[in-house]
Amino acid sequence: MDDDEIREIGEAAARLESAKPEGQEITGLYTAMAAAVSHGKAVRDVAAAAHLTALEVLDAADAALYPRPVLPPQEMAG
């Protein structure tokens, strides 16, 4: 796991774990994971570097590659 992309994921995960998360830190981790998976890195290696499960890595990569608009909260029907 000497690869720069895997190292970047580990560093992003460490920053996220050591500080209160802000949107940029999470986005940076998601982007790094998406780049690694897109370039053929094994999901299990990416997951290990990010301290996440494989499913969380796939969800994060999906979110980074296919961003969805934020929907306003729906009012509860009364």
Side-chain angles (χ1 to χ4, degrees):
M1 292 195 358
D2 273 358
D3 191 64
D4 289 337
E5 290 174 326
I6 297 295
R7 190 172 17 262
E8 185 177 330
I9 291 166
E11 291 169 359
R15 285 191 305 272
L16 189 61
E17 290 173 356
S18 68
K20 294 206 178 227
E22 294 184 16
Q24 291 178 342
E25 293 295 332
I26 292 172
T27 301
L29 178 59
Y30 283 10
T31 302
M33 288 191 295
V37 171
S38 295
H39 290 109
K41 303 300 174 222
V43 172
R44 72 171 168 255
D45 292 343
V46 174
H51 307 282
L52 299 171
T53 66
L55 182 57
E56 289 170 320
V57 169
L58 293 174
D59 284 344
D62 182 58
L65 293 172
Y66 306 103
R68 294 171 187 89
V70 177
L71 300 175
Q74 295 179 350
E75 293 182 27
M76 295 182 64

